């Protein structure tokens, strides 16, 4: 599956008051994706941390998809041959973790 988010490297920039996340295009133009506003007496460090998390989202999505794909490949290739021998990859990493990962990935494709 391919994500439909804005392509390019998401970067954090310091605005006049608040940090923001933007993509710098090849032609040098910038597309602002998110502005992390600070509220009254909210620490600027929190807004910066939010901006960094948003900027990392495409790479985190890519890494999560790669991990889920790899685990599913291992299940298909190896677990099927070991059925009945006490080996279950989802049990080893925890079925709830795989469910959460699949749900997170599904939400990215829904919007």
């Amino acid at each position: 599956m391919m994500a439909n988010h804005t392509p390019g490297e998401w970067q954090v920039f310091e605005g006049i008051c608040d940090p923001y996340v933007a993509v710098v295009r090849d032609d040098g133009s910038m597309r602002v994706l998110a502005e992390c506003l600070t509220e009254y007496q909210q620490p600027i460090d929190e807004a910066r941390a939010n901006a960094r998390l948003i900027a990392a989202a495409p790479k985190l999505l890519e890494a999560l998809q790669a991990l889920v794909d790899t685990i599913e490949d291992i299940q298909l290739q190896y677990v099927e041959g070991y059925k009945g021998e006490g080996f279950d990859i989802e049990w080893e990493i925890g079925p709830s973790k795989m469910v959460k990962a699949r749900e997170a990935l599904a939400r990215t494709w829904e919007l």
Side-chain angles (χ1 to χ4, degrees):
M1 254 185 234
M2 191 70 179
N4 292 325
H5 60 74
T6 303
E9 185 172 343
W10 294 16
Q11 301 175 44
V12 176
F13 297 90
E14 288 292 329
I16 295 171
C17 296
D18 300 305
Y20 61 94
V21 178
V23 171
V24 178
R25 298 187 173 124
D26 291 338
D27 65 4
S29 65
M30 183 181 291
R31 177 168 184 199
V32 175
L33 304 173
E35 188 173 2
C36 296
L37 303 175
T38 55
E39 296 177 6
Y40 179 70
Q41 294 186 338
Q42 176 190 11
I44 188 70
D45 291 343
E46 184 177 326
R48 287 181 180 132
N50 292 340
R52 287 191 303 271
L53 182 59
I54 292 167
K59 290 183 181 183
L60 291 170
L61 173 61
E62 184 180 326
L64 180 60
Q65 183 66 62
L67 286 170
V68 168
D69 290 348
T70 299
I71 290 167
E72 289 175 348
D73 287 347
I74 290 170
Q75 284 178 302
L76 290 174
Q77 294 175 14
Y78 301 104
V79 175
E80 293 300 318
Y82 292 103
K83 278 197 174 180
E85 296 185 30
F87 181 77
D88 183 351
I89 190 96
E90 279 203 20
W91 182 84
E92 296 292 329
I93 64 165
S96 64
K97 292 176 185 171
M98 284 297 289
V99 168
K100 287 179 184 179
R102 289 181 183 122
E103 287 173 352
L105 288 169
R107 282 194 299 270
T108 65
W109 312 129
E110 288 174 2
L111 302 176

